[in-house]
Amino acid sequence: MDKVITLEQAISLIKEGDTVMVGGFMANGTPVKLLDALLASGVKNLTLICNDTATPENGVGRLVVNKQFKKIIATHIGLNKETGRQMSAGETEVELVPQGTLAERIRAAGFGLGGILTPTGLGTLVEDGKQKITVDGKEYLLEKPLFADVALLYGRKVDKAGNMAYKGSENNFNNVMASAAKITIVEADELVEIGGIDPNAVGTPGVFVNYIFDGGANNG
């Protein structure tokens, strides 16, 4: 199967009402060209799962400004005042999740787990409406898996089988999100032939990647 598709084909896979995971930590490891195209498409009523909403001028923040999300699940929105404004005004539902819990909920989805147990959030608003489970005399919150229809990810070097290599901390949420969506689309900064990546440098195996957009080519 040829996994390499055009930017237009990639964005056509995202439908109104979908849940979309986006990799990155602020601007680091964010699939910028995929997000630019999603912004231009105007697709709305999306649910966003991400670490943060960046700033109004960067990353997913521009889509927040364009009001393309009906719900946002993230760990931090403090640098994007528009996200906070929309939340306070009741225009967009925002679910704030502790960062470690967010990563584990996504991992649980990808690994086929029924959820994870964590003490984080006990005694706070985080525990509202959640089941508590006691193990060996200690209380935990049951946090359920987070799935997505589409994951938009970034790889510094990606081969045509979808094997991904990162630079520095660019793997952040990209790696854990790769297995938690029905469709995983990767923006490759550099697309190489199979065998063009040292196996020891592969951070995410291509088995988790459905499609690749060559972000380094002159194709938009």
Side-chain angles (χ1 to χ4, degrees):
M1 173 186 170
D2 186 2
K3 295 184 178 183
V4 181
I5 59 176
T6 66
L7 186 57
E8 292 74 18
Q9 288 172 323
I11 297 306
S12 72
L13 296 170
I14 302 172
K15 310 298 183 184
E16 182 171 351
D18 276 355
T19 296
V20 179
M21 287 180 178
V22 179
F25 192 108
M26 296 300 293
N28 186 38
T30 295
V32 176
K33 292 184 178 179
L34 285 173
L35 291 180
D36 285 347
L38 184 57
L39 175 69
S41 77
V43 178
K44 294 186 182 294
N45 295 316
L46 301 172
T47 294
L48 171 66
I49 300 173
C50 63
N51 177 70
D52 55 80
T53 55
T55 68
E57 301 82 19
N58 295 306
V60 296
R62 297 173 63 204
L63 284 81
V64 172
V65 173
N66 203 37
K67 297 187 177 179
Q68 289 178 251
F69 303 120
K70 65 179 180 182
K71 182 175 181 178
I72 296 170
I73 302 172
T75 71
H76 177 64
I77 63 171
L79 295 179
N80 191 328
K81 293 183 179 180
E82 176 60 16
T83 308
R85 188 201 66 77
Q86 290 182 21
M87 178 179 68
S88 298
E91 298 172 4
T92 303
E93 181 183 353
V94 176
E95 179 182 345
L96 294 174
V97 181
Q99 190 173 79
T101 300
L102 180 70
E104 286 298 289
R105 291 179 67 186
I106 295 169
R107 185 183 67 85
F111 284 29
L113 304 179
I116 59 111
L117 299 179
T118 176
T120 304
L122 283 170
T124 73
L125 293 175
V126 171
E127 73 173 29
D128 288 357
K130 294 177 181 175
Q131 183 179 352
K132 297 179 183 179
I133 295 176
T134 300
V135 179
D136 293 334
K138 187 172 181 178
E139 194 171 55
Y140 299 89
L141 294 180
L142 171 63
E143 294 281 4
K144 295 182 179 180
L146 279 175
F147 299 89
D149 296 295
V150 181
L152 300 179
L153 310 179
Y154 170 86
R156 178 60 65 111
K157 183 182 285 188
V158 182
D159 71 19
K160 291 185 177 180
N163 295 303
M164 302 170 65
Y166 306 99
K167 181 178 180 180
S169 60
E170 287 172 347
N171 63 331
N172 49 66
F173 275 82
N174 286 292
N175 188 37
V176 72
M177 288 178 173
S179 61
K182 295 176 184 176
I183 300 173
T184 296
I185 306 170
V186 174
E187 177 179 316
D189 189 66
E190 179 185 358
L191 182 64
V192 299
E193 296 295 331
I194 296 173
I197 301 176
D198 179 347
N200 293 310
V202 172
T204 301
V207 67
F208 297 121
V209 176
N210 300 102
Y211 299 105
I212 305 161
F213 161 63
D214 185 0
N218 295 319
N219 56 8

